[in-house]
């Protein structure tokens, strides 16, 4: 700078068009990379669902049951024995639920002819529509465009169903066994994994942050599991009472079915409602009496879904109804019914991480 000349102002970065354009391109590039990474992660989770689903389910259940494992370990029970006891308890509970539900499903499957006959007798409102259909079909036949009515020969029963049945049953059975093994190892090694995850970070503040996040995830998932289990047990018990009062057979089994399916948000209660409608129409002497169990269950679910669960869970976890529905749709599409069960815990973990990161950012500012 020469003497006698005033200093020239230096242009700011915001005032230079080329630099502003490069900044925008950088943001677009960053968002594009993030979108591509998210799509790649979704594709990987979908393609590897048979492997990832038991692992994620075991991790979620293991974290939920980690407070119970710590309490048993505080009673001087070895960690390996604690893990074995918890896994055996989970397996027995799932086996008990299956034993209560499978006979009901089998009854519905084998009773389809009786269901059709009962519906034909009780739904007399549609007799006019059926007569109209018969007249229309007879008109089509006289026009000469009716399909051929050649008898179809049914194949004789053989052993061809064995490979198909094994192909259907083996993946769920192997997946369940893999889930139990991963759950056993996860509960046994979770303290070491937790310590190693915390010690991965160098600074003391980062370690404290990770430790707080893990504690919040453990307590939140355990509280969620306990609360939802108690609520669903009450739903199952009241459903059993409703079925008993309306003289629906196997009231205990349908109560267990309602309690189990209620772990799946939205879809589970709808499935239970449909089952109660079908069973009531078949077993009750009249159509009105057959709809009573489903009507009582619908009132129960409305009260539970609109008042009880939001009051107990919503205040503690602040789960948004829209977020729950979107998470349910996404994980059901990605991983099926088990994904629907895991949708709320996964959403909870994401919300806890979001809240903790937001708190840390505010503390830094």
């Amino acid at each position: 700078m020469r003497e006698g000349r005033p200093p020239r102002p230096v242009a700011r970065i915001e005032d230079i068009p080329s630099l502003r354009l490069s900044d925008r391109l950088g943001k677009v590039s960053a968002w594009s990379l993030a979108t591509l990474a998210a799509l790649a992660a979704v594709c990987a989770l979908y393609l590897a669902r048979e492997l990832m689903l038991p692992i994620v389910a075991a991790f979620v259940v293991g974290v939920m049951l980690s407070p119970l494992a710590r309490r048993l370990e505080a009673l001087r029970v070895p960690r390996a024995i604690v893990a074995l006891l918890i896994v055996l308890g989970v397996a027995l509970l799932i086996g008990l639920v299956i034993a209560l539900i499978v006979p009901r499903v089998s009854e519905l499957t084998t009773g389809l002819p009786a269901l059709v006959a009962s519906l034909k007798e009780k739904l007399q409102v549609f007799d006019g529509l059926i007569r109209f259909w018969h007249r229309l079909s007879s008109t089509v036949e006289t026009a000469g465009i009716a399909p051929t009515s050649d008898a179809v020969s049914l194949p004789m029963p053989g052993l061809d169903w064995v490979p198909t049945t094994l192909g259907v049953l083996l993946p769920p059975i192997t997946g369940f066994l893999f889930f139990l093994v991963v759950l056993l190892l996860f509960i046994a090694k979770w303290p070491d994994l937790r310590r190693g995850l915390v010690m991965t970070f160098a600074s003391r503040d980062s370690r404290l942050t990770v430790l707080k996040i893990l504690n919040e995830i453990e307590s939140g998932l355990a509280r969620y599991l306990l609360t939802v289990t108690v609520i669903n047990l009450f739903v199952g018990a009241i459903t059993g009472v409703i079925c008993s009062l309306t003289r629906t057979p196997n009231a205990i089994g349908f109560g267990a079915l309602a309690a189990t399916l209620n772990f799946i948000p939205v879809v589970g209660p709808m499935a239970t409602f449909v089952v109660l409608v079908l069973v009531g129409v078949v077993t009750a002497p009249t159509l009105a009496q057959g709809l009573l169990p489903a009507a009582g269950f619908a009132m129960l679910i409305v009260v539970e879904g609109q008042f009880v669960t939001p009051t107990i869970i919503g205040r503690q976890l602040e789960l948004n109804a829209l977020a729950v529905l979107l998470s349910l749709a996404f994980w059901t599409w990605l991983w099926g019914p088990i994904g629907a069960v895991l949708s709320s815990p996964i959403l909870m973990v994401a919300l806890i991480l979001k809240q903790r990161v937001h708190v840390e950012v505010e503390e830094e500012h």
Side-chain angles (χ1 to χ4, degrees):
M1 184 176 63
R2 298 179 181 178
E3 287 189 33
R5 291 187 179 182
R8 290 181 298 178
V10 179
R12 296 180 302 175
I13 296 178
E14 293 81 0
D15 297 332
I16 303 175
S18 60
L19 293 179
R20 285 186 306 189
L21 180 60
S22 64
D23 185 53
R24 291 175 185 172
L25 291 176
K27 291 182 178 179
V28 171
S29 177
W31 279 105
S32 301
L33 289 176
T35 304
L36 290 176
L39 291 176
V42 170
C43 292
L45 290 175
Y46 181 78
L47 294 176
R49 58 188 179 274
E50 294 183 359
L51 175 65
M52 294 298 299
L53 184 55
I55 295 176
V56 175
F59 280 19
V60 171
V61 175
V63 173
M64 285 181 174
L65 298 176
S66 58
L68 175 61
R70 280 202 302 270
R71 291 186 179 181
L72 292 177
E73 197 174 12
L75 298 175
R76 300 179 182 272
V77 181
R79 187 76 184 189
I81 303 299
V82 168
L84 184 60
L85 292 176
I86 291 178
V87 170
L88 288 178
V90 171
L92 290 176
L93 180 61
I94 295 176
L96 177 62
V97 171
I98 293 176
L100 290 174
I101 291 178
V102 167
R104 310 290 84 78
V105 177
S106 177
E107 289 174 2
L108 290 177
T109 304
T110 56
L112 284 178
L115 173 62
V116 174
S118 180
L119 287 176
K120 188 175 180 180
E121 292 177 1
K122 295 173 183 177
L123 300 181
Q124 299 177 358
V125 182
F126 301 99
D127 287 345
L129 181 60
I130 294 174
R131 286 193 295 269
F132 171 75
W133 173 256
H134 285 308
R135 288 198 301 267
L136 180 61
S137 61
S138 62
T139 304
V140 173
E141 289 177 1
T142 56
I145 56 176
T148 59
S149 59
D150 296 336
V152 179
S153 60
L154 296 176
M156 295 298 293
L159 297 178
D160 296 337
W161 57 271
V162 175
T164 305
T165 305
L166 291 178
V168 172
L169 294 179
L170 278 180
I173 293 175
T174 55
F176 179 67
L177 294 177
F178 183 54
F179 161 76
L180 293 179
V181 172
V182 176
L183 180 61
L184 176 66
L185 296 177
F186 180 82
I187 295 177
K189 298 297 181 181
W190 174 236
D192 299 332
L193 294 174
R194 183 183 154 103
R195 190 180 306 109
L197 183 60
V198 172
M199 297 304 295
T200 302
F201 297 87
S203 64
R204 180 174 179 274
D205 293 337
S206 299
R207 293 177 181 176
L208 289 176
T209 301
V210 174
L211 187 60
K212 290 178 182 178
I213 291 174
L214 292 177
N215 289 336
E216 289 185 9
I217 290 175
E218 285 186 1
S219 61
L221 290 181
R223 188 168 62 249
Y224 171 82
L225 177 63
L226 178 62
T227 305
V228 170
T229 301
V230 172
I231 292 175
N232 292 343
L233 287 177
F234 274 103
V235 169
I238 297 175
T239 303
V241 172
I242 292 174
C243 292
S244 178
L245 293 177
T246 55
R247 296 181 180 179
T248 304
N250 301 317
I252 297 177
F254 288 114
L257 178 67
T260 304
L261 293 181
N262 207 46
F263 280 96
I264 305 176
V266 182
V267 178
M270 292 177 61
T272 306
F273 177 80
V274 172
V275 171
L276 290 178
V277 168
L278 295 177
V279 174
V281 169
V282 172
T283 58
T286 61
L287 180 62
Q289 294 180 5
L291 295 178
L292 286 178
F297 177 76
M299 295 176 59
L300 171 64
I301 287 301
V302 168
V303 173
E304 180 265 333
Q306 298 297 325
F307 300 100
V308 178
T309 300
T311 302
I312 297 176
I313 294 181
R315 293 179 180 177
Q316 298 177 354
L317 306 176
E318 300 179 357
L319 293 179
N320 191 313
L322 179 60
V324 171
L325 182 60
L326 293 178
S327 176
L328 172 67
F330 174 76
W331 291 107
T332 304
W333 165 77
L334 196 66
W335 284 346
I338 306 301
V341 176
L342 297 175
S343 60
S344 294
I346 293 175
L347 177 62
M348 281 184 49
V349 173
L351 291 178
I352 291 173
L353 291 174
K354 174 182 172 295
Q355 293 174 359
R356 175 52 57 183
V357 170
H358 182 68
V359 169
E360 294 296 329
V361 170
E362 286 186 349
E363 289 179 356
E364 289 181 359
H365 285 296

